[in-house]
Amino acid sequence: MDHRNSSQPLMPEGQAMLSGPAREALREAAMALDIAERFHQPLEMSLALAQMARCYRALQALAPAVLCLERALGWAYTLGAADQSVEILCLLAETRCAQAEQHAARDAHGRHALLERTRDAAFEATTLAAHVADPEWEIKVLLRISDVLDRCGDHDDAVELQSRAMELMYGPHVGTDLAGPASEMQGLADA
């Protein structure tokens, strides 16, 4: 996927783009990407490609969105900033999950492959989330990825991420206070 020397955004095959605000946003994102490509700065490239992906997603053009996110992730890795990489990995996992949901009825093998790639992006995001600058955002990332994994059918992993987020919010002893008094009450009732 190459947007160089093109002010016209990519059109998904066999899909007419809608007119209106979503189409205009895509046009603006393509112009921003053209400008970013002139300078090849990792942050600007990553941000511009991620914005292109968001615009494609708004138009339900998930394949071009994934391609933009994969390119954006490459630039984010070059940048070396965990925050940008985590954001793109979250977007990538969400977009691939949506693709898998679209494939559910017509292509079980394709759906399975998309779910595997979704999980890869999700687990990479959770690994990097521990390195983001804002601990509050780490919690949001964990919950966001938990939702994606739940949609993928990975309920145990989703619950584990929710537990990890709860520990970050409330400390490592979440729920343990409830067991203590209940045990004590049971002991008193038995006596």
Side-chain angles (χ1 to χ4, degrees):
M1 169 179 197
D2 191 1
H3 293 286
R4 280 183 271 253
N5 302 323
S6 170
S7 61
Q8 204 53 257
L10 278 183
M11 300 281 261
E13 289 182 27
Q15 184 176 357
M17 291 288 204
L18 304 172
S19 60
R23 173 96 169 141
E24 185 57 34
L26 182 62
R27 226 179 268 124
E28 289 174 13
M31 289 189 299
L33 179 58
D34 285 342
I35 292 167
E37 285 179 332
R38 289 185 199 141
F39 301 103
H40 279 358
Q41 296 297 316
L43 179 60
E44 286 76 15
M45 287 296 297
S46 182
L47 292 171
L49 286 161
Q51 185 58 29
M52 283 289 296
R54 286 183 189 94
C55 292
Y56 279 129
R57 281 184 53 179
L59 292 165
Q60 295 301 306
L62 300 178
V66 166
L67 292 173
C68 285
L69 290 168
E70 288 170 345
R71 286 185 60 205
L73 187 58
W75 283 103
Y77 288 152
T78 302
L79 183 62
D83 291 29
Q84 184 66 9
S85 297
V86 167
E87 175 62 20
I88 292 169
L89 284 163
C90 287
L91 287 169
L92 188 56
E94 291 163 345
T95 305
R96 283 182 175 156
C97 187
Q99 271 188 311
E101 291 167 346
Q102 283 183 348
H103 280 75
R106 66 178 188 267
D107 181 10
H109 180 69
R111 179 181 183 274
H112 179 73
L114 285 167
L115 287 175
E116 286 303 313
R117 288 190 295 249
T118 299
R119 290 179 188 102
D120 291 345
F123 290 122
E124 187 174 354
T126 61
T127 300
L128 287 176
H131 304 288
V132 297
D134 181 6
E136 296 286 323
W137 192 54
E138 179 182 0
I139 294 166
K140 291 176 184 173
V141 167
L142 294 175
L143 294 173
R144 188 174 171 187
I145 292 300
S146 172
D147 289 342
V148 171
L149 291 175
D150 194 48
R151 286 172 51 200
C152 290
D154 293 341
H155 307 298
D156 291 341
D157 289 325
V159 169
E160 186 177 318
L161 288 181
Q162 289 171 1
S163 297
R164 186 171 145 195
M166 295 298 278
E167 279 187 27
L168 289 171
M169 283 191 282
Y170 302 112
H173 303 293
V174 173
T176 56
D177 292 344
L178 297 176
S183 300
E184 292 172 16
M185 293 301 286
Q186 184 61 39
L188 292 174
D190 291 340

